[in-house]
Structure formats: structure tokens, C-alpha cells
Amino acid sequence: GQNIDQPTEMTATEGAIVQINCTYQTSGFNGLFWYQQHAGEAPTFLSYNVLDGLEEKGRFSSFLSRSKGYSYLLLKELQMKDSASYLCAVRDPGDYKLSFGAGTTVTVRA
Amino acid sequence: KAGVTQTPRYLIKTRGQQVTLSCSPISGHRSVSWYQQTPGQGLQFLFEYFSETQRNKGNFPGRFSGRQFSNSRSEMNVSTLELGDSALYLCASSKGTSYEQYFGPGTRLTVT
């Protein structure tokens, strides 16, 4: 099975940087995904890491350390529209299904 | 390219009834997964279909079932509805197991 932990809430100021951590304890690993979900909307895909290291996509970056069972999502130059829930998900290598963390609600303040 | 579509968007049902939800994946995507999202439990995996075959199933009772058609469209059925089935049901499609999933807008089911 999968056990995925991420902080419940984070608050930051517009223009700042926020780092959302995700730790996982799994029976196997076949990739880690980050999704953004605005209130009342569906999750949207942000990033995918399967190898160790940093993946950068504009203002968003995601890091993975497989040996530590750890990932983070870095949001730079925060904008008000970044206020959302951020979901970490791990894919099982056996059945390829995704297991999601409970999500981190990020609130961006002016 | 059109995204994942789900119908209906909102549904109100009574305990004991049954419901069928529909999902049309992105064109070319053959994998469809279903999730239940509630405030208390978060996103919970229901099942996944690929080429009309159920490949994976989550820990949900047999009242939850699904199927996939030859055009990759999928349906999910919940029988004998319970109050606890009130949730947002999300469908996600992908090209296959090694690819990211794209979610539809969801069906908000309320059971009274």
C-alpha cells in the first residue's frame, strides 16, 4: 500500500516562494505526480517525476528523492490565482494506480 | 483537443436508488480511471479501465461498478445508494499506464 503525507495548509504572500513537501512510504514506486485543484474544480496536472532530481516548468518546479521517499513542489513568484489545493500522488508499479495524499491548501495573501 | 467530459455535472438521488455516471476521455486516450472525492477521505481510487477491461479496482463495495466501451467512453454505476456515497466523482483519462492522467470536471452526487 501507499502512505502519503503532506501538510494540510500553507499561507504565503503574493510574489513569494512556497515549498510543499510530500513524503511517501510505499510498497513500490513508479512515479510521483503533482496536481493543482481549485475549489469546486477538477485537479489539473502540474508535474511528473520518476527519476531523482529537479523538474522545472515555468514558475513551478518539482523535486524527487526516491531514496528518501520525498518530493517537493516549489511555487515561485506566487500569484493570487495560485491559491488552491496541491495534491501529491504516487503510482504503484504493480497495478499503476495512483494513490493521492490528502492535499495541501495554499492561500496566497496580498 | 477537447478535454475529458463527464455527464451529468450534478445529480440528486434518494437512498436506495441507483445512478449511472458517464465519462468521455480525451480522444486517443484508452485508459479511464474513476475516483471518489470527499472532504474527509480525499481522492480515493475506484477502478481503472483499459481497452474495455477493468485492470484495477480500489477498496469499494460491489455496489460500485463500471464498464468501458469500444470507443473508450466509460460509465460508472452505483446501486442501492447510501448517504455516504455523496461525493464528487472524477474521471481521468490517459494514453496508458506510463502517462499522466487528465481529469474531467466531475459529477457532484448528492444522496438524500
Side-chain angles (χ1 to χ4, degrees):
Chain A
Q2 317 278 24
N3 185 29
I4 301 165
D5 289 313
Q6 49 181 135
T8 305
E9 295 181 344
M10 300 183 76
T11 301
T13 307
E14 199 174 14
I17 298 173
V18 71
Q19 177 175 313
I20 306 169
N21 296 323
C22 172
T23 57
Y24 61 91
Q25 296 171 323
T26 62
S27 54
F29 178 85
N30 189 254
L32 187 142
F33 298 79
W34 284 96
Y35 284 84
Q36 179 193 60
Q37 186 175 26
H38 285 100
E41 298 182 12
T44 55
F45 169 74
L46 288 178
S47 70
Y48 167 57
N49 294 70
V50 66
L51 299 175
D52 291 351
L54 187 68
E55 294 281 342
E56 297 187 83
K57 262 190 190 181
R59 295 188 300 114
F60 293 2
S61 304
S62 58
F63 171 83
L64 175 68
S65 169
R66 289 172 295 171
S67 63
K68 295 181 180 177
Y70 168 71
S71 173
Y72 68 72
L73 179 69
L74 196 69
L75 285 62
K76 294 177 274 190
E77 299 169 20
L78 279 172
Q79 301 175 9
M80 300 299 285
K81 67 178 182 179
D82 297 329
S83 292
S85 179
Y86 291 84
L87 303 165
C88 170
V90 174
R91 183 163 58 197
D92 188 290
D95 56 20
Y96 295 99
K97 73 179 187 187
L98 287 184
S99 295
F100 283 83
T104 299
T105 300
V106 172
T107 302
V108 181
R109 294 185 173 162
Chain B
K1 187 186 275 191
V4 179
T5 58
Q6 292 186 247
T7 57
R9 293 292 312 280
Y10 302 92
L11 206 49
I12 299 175
K13 289 286 188 177
T14 306
R15 265 184 310 177
Q17 288 186 312
Q18 75 165 17
V19 66
T20 299
L21 311 181
S22 181
C23 171
S24 292
I26 292 170
S27 177
H29 285 193
R30 296 167 64 189
S31 170
V32 174
S33 297
W34 288 90
Y35 296 87
Q36 181 195 67
Q37 187 173 35
T38 59
Q41 297 296 316
L43 262 168
Q44 302 283 312
F45 172 79
L46 280 157
F47 27 68
E48 186 226 355
Y49 287 87
F50 185 86
S51 294
E52 302 178 65
T53 302
Q54 185 183 89
R55 291 201 299 193
N56 298 302
K57 193 176 191 314
N59 296 323
F60 280 82
R63 300 185 296 108
F64 291 81
S65 63
R67 58 178 176 169
Q68 187 180 33
F69 301 94
S70 59
N71 63 357
S72 294
R73 189 177 69 86
S74 177
E75 286 183 348
M76 189 191 101
N77 185 76
V78 188
S79 62
T80 321
L81 283 166
E82 300 177 359
L83 294 178
D85 297 333
S86 294
L88 179 67
Y89 289 88
L90 292 161
C91 153
S93 78
S94 71
K95 291 182 183 178
T97 53
S98 300
Y99 297 88
E100 63 274 16
Q101 295 182 0
Y102 293 90
F103 284 83
T107 295
R108 174 76 61 186
L109 172 65
T110 302
V111 182
T112 62

